[in-house]
Amino acid sequence: MADHDTAPDATGQRMNTREAAERLGVKPETVYAYVSRGQLTSHREPGGRGSTFDAKEVEALARRNGRRELFGGDGELAVRTGITLTDRDHCYFRGVDTEELAAHYSYEEVAEWLWTGELRRGTHFTAPYDALSAARRAVQALPAHCGPMDRLQVAVIASAAADPLRFDLSEGAVLATARSLIPTLVGALPTKSSSQQNADALAPRLWCRLASEPADTAALRVLDAALVLLIDHDLAASTLAVRVAASARAHPYAIVSAGFGALDGALHGAASGLAHRMLLEVLERGSATAVVADHLRAGRRVPGLGHRLYPGEDPRARALFGLLADVPTAQPALQAARRVITTTARHTELHANVDLALAVLTVAAGMPPEAGETIFAIARTAGWIAHALEEYGERPLRMRPSGHYQGPRPPQPLP
């Protein structure tokens, strides 16, 4: 099958001004500015109306422009965005400190504000019956050994199949999809406790699918804050996958599927599970030193420590540790985490990241090790939608870098 990453008009020999402008993602007058600067060659047929341009020349310019807008001066991938800024020991959504957002608003309120710029107090997301029924049937058909990410990936595909209008990429349609998809993903997960599953807010509904014991107000506050803090975090691997899919104008369900695919890895979403198991071992053995020593002896990184974007403590961890201090049942796990941090600091200066804070929550609540990844995935879905909306406003297929071929030079003999 052909690699259809070129605009249809670029396959012809000549393009008119409108077609050239659309391919370059600029206004028609900018096309003539390219001509005046010698970057394009125009041609006017005798008696013809308007100029035409060589399609291959337009395509080459589009690719050069695409590379310039996607790569910074140091050669690193750099995508313009107005969603998240990480600055030393702080993280900001649209210029607002995420710790402040988590302290004052719920996950659904922040998600709605991030998408629309409007803060609506008391916002709650509701799953439509058809999508939720389809997602639950698909999840229930999975083998018993399947984990939460398996269920979420199947649920999003089933939800897409139940939505015949999923290809509508208008802003209103995408937002409607987001508001229904997130609660559908939560509702498709099997329940561990009957308490709070019919609550209006998302955090209580998610809690009863992760823990068998009901949550008190302080514990639910931690979960809701975690959802807010994990909505987005610059161009993480899963977010870049989402931007690529959106650049190709994939629908929102496919975009979330792309995010889940990248998230489902030990170096991304699953990292909190490693920290969860480590804390359980510290509590069982009664010694952080012995557990940390085992990791160092085996040449493994100590889970839940260090983050390439922060020279100090991850601000998301800082916020969650502060809230966990008010949860009585979290104190043993919280102390275990503190001992891990102190012990590791004797050898190298590493600070806690959000995976360690998530692990404290999941261990304290008796959740399975995969619960942190589930929280991460549900939370990040809102951020992926925000990035998709942003990317839909960019030139289509701009996320198409050129390969640096290092194979045998042609022509080679037929194998």
Side-chain angles (χ1 to χ4, degrees), residues 6 16 36 55 58 93 104 111 133 182 208 217 234 243 254 257 299 307 312 323 343 376 380 393 415:
T6 301
N16 61 33
S36 66
V58 172
F93 292 163
H104 292 91
S133 297
I182 292 173
C208 71
T217 302
D234 196 33
R243 301 277 314 212
S257 290
H307 198 292
L323 292 171
T343 301
F376 200 118
R380 192 56 59 90

Side-chain angles (χ1 to χ4, degrees), residues 211-414:
S212 56
E213 295 296 326
D216 58 23
T217 302
L220 275 180
R221 184 74 196 89
V222 178
L223 177 58
D224 198 34
L227 289 168
V228 171
L229 293 165
L230 290 168
I231 284 177
D232 191 52
H233 203 230
D234 196 33
L235 279 188
S238 56
T239 305
L240 178 58
V242 162
R243 301 277 314 212
V244 172
S247 178
R249 297 304 183 259
H251 57 71
Y253 301 95
I255 281 165
V256 173
S257 290
F260 282 162
L263 187 70
D264 193 14
L267 299 181
H268 196 2
S272 63
L274 300 176
H276 177 109
R277 293 180 174 90
M278 177 187 66
L279 290 185
L280 286 180
E281 188 177 359
V282 171
L283 291 170
E284 180 182 348
R285 298 174 65 175
S287 170
T289 302
V291 175
V292 169
D294 285 347
H295 277 82
L296 298 176
R297 188 179 299 114
R300 300 190 302 266
R301 292 182 57 186
V302 179
L305 299 180
H307 198 292
R308 63 184 295 268
L309 295 183
Y310 302 111
E313 188 176 37
D314 185 333
R316 302 168 298 176
R318 181 172 60 230
L320 293 179
F321 283 148
L323 292 171
L324 284 162
D326 296 328
V327 181
T329 56
Q331 298 318 300
L334 188 57
Q335 289 303 315
R338 295 295 188 196
R339 291 198 298 271
V340 167
I341 296 167
T342 302
T343 301
T344 308
R346 300 175 194 167
H347 307 277
T348 181
E349 189 177 358
L350 288 176
H351 300 271
N353 61 37
V354 72
D355 296 315
L356 188 61
L358 271 182
V360 172
L361 170 63
T362 56
V363 168
M367 297 176 183
E370 299 82 10
E373 185 177 12
T374 307
I375 296 168
F376 200 118
I378 296 296
R380 192 56 59 90
T381 300
W384 293 335
I385 294 295
H387 277 276
L389 287 167
E390 204 172 57
E391 190 61 38
Y392 286 153
E394 298 286 354
R395 177 173 56 81
L397 291 171
R398 72 188 184 116
M399 297 286 191
R400 178 57 167 90
S402 297
H404 183 55
Y405 179 72
Q406 295 182 321
R409 301 304 304 174
Q412 294 290 321
L414 188 67

Side-chain angles (χ1 to χ4, degrees), residues 16-17 32 43-52:
N16 61 33
T17 303
Y32 290 102
H43 179 74
R44 185 188 294 270
E45 295 288 346
R49 297 178 60 187
S51 300
T52 62

Side-chain angles (χ1 to χ4, degrees), residues 100-116:
E100 290 295 313
L101 288 168
H104 292 91
Y105 304 117
S106 72
Y107 169 74
E108 290 141 300
E109 290 168 345
V110 174
E112 186 71 28
W113 168 76
L114 194 66
W115 297 332
T116 67

